[in-house]
Amino acid sequence: MKRSTTRSKEVTHERIVEVGARAIRRCGYDGIGIADIMKEAGLTHGGFYAHFASREAMLAELADRAGAEAIATFLHFTAAVPAEQSLQALLHAYLSKEHVKNPEVGCPIAALGTEMPRQAPVVRRAITRRIKEMIDMVSRQSADWGKPGAHMRALATAATMIGAVVLARAVDEEPLSRSLLEAALEHLAPAAD
């Protein structure tokens, strides 16, 4: 009986994390509460402490999950093309209108980055790890991977990608949003060759 109870708890925990990872990207860390996430997962607020020691522990796990999902999504795009086109595929996927319009399934760095300085150290640690992973992913897609200066170019590429999406989401004019994405893509395209 204990095994089925443990499995049930794992399934429930997974549901909370899955729902919560989308919710924080959609609403922000402070835009959604524990009760909201639990309700969205089909659970009561009271069950929260059976799964997490604190709100910060939950947010760290949600940020980590959101980061892992985003990395997997973008790696899917790079794997679908020949290696010499992988950075272009990554740039086009990241700097797309679809990514801008769907923050709940996109990169949590672009969705939550401006809120990070106000988060608990455990949350910042989780997202810092995923930021490093994002930079590494960009670096590995570059033709100059492993060569002098490649890491610095990957840092600049990742920062430009993330910043362009943040700005494209921030403005209330669709043409300007689109232009921000196009300008970043045009600027970064030579780095992809």
Side-chain angles (χ1 to χ4, degrees):
M1 189 59 135
K2 182 175 168 83
R3 187 169 190 204
S4 67
T5 303
T6 301
R7 178 70 184 135
S8 176
K9 184 175 180 179
E10 289 170 359
V11 168
T12 301
H13 186 86
E14 176 63 25
R15 187 169 68 235
I16 296 166
V17 174
E18 182 182 328
V19 165
R22 282 192 316 267
I24 62 167
R25 286 178 279 183
R26 182 181 63 241
C27 301
Y29 290 116
D30 294 329
I32 193 154
I34 293 170
D36 301 316
I37 291 171
M38 296 300 282
K39 182 178 179 181
E40 213 172 303
L43 303 163
T44 63
H45 181 270
F48 170 79
Y49 289 102
H51 297 277
F52 303 98
S54 65
R55 182 176 192 277
E56 289 77 19
M58 177 188 68
L59 291 178
E61 190 169 343
L62 300 183
D64 187 61
R65 169 63 68 85
E69 289 174 355
I71 295 291
T73 297
F74 293 117
L75 283 175
H76 174 77
F77 285 104
T78 65
V81 298
E84 63 274 4
Q85 296 172 6
S86 64
L87 184 55
Q88 278 288 7
L90 173 61
L91 293 171
H92 282 275
Y94 198 95
L95 296 168
S96 69
K97 188 168 101 174
E98 293 76 26
H99 185 211
V100 169
K101 298 286 184 202
N102 297 293
E104 69 277 359
V105 294
C107 177
I109 304 162
L112 301 165
T114 60
E115 295 182 43
M116 289 312 301
R118 293 177 295 283
Q119 298 309 308
V122 67
V123 179
R124 291 185 73 189
R125 174 65 11 221
I127 205 70
T128 296
R129 194 174 94 244
R130 293 303 180 180
I131 290 169
K132 288 178 173 181
E133 190 175 2
M134 176 73 161
I135 294 163
D136 183 59
M137 178 181 64
V138 169
S139 181
R140 286 181 283 122
Q141 308 315 310
S142 301
D144 64 350
W145 183 42
K147 296 179 183 170
H151 182 70
M152 291 301 286
R153 283 187 289 282
L155 289 169
T157 299
T160 302
M161 292 165 52
I162 294 162
V165 171
V166 169
L167 292 174
R169 286 179 178 158
V171 300
D172 67 351
E173 298 174 9
E174 180 63 31
L176 179 55
S177 178
R178 189 172 49 252
S179 292
L180 286 161
L181 297 174
E182 290 169 1
L185 191 55
E186 186 175 315
H187 176 72
L188 294 172
D193 296 331

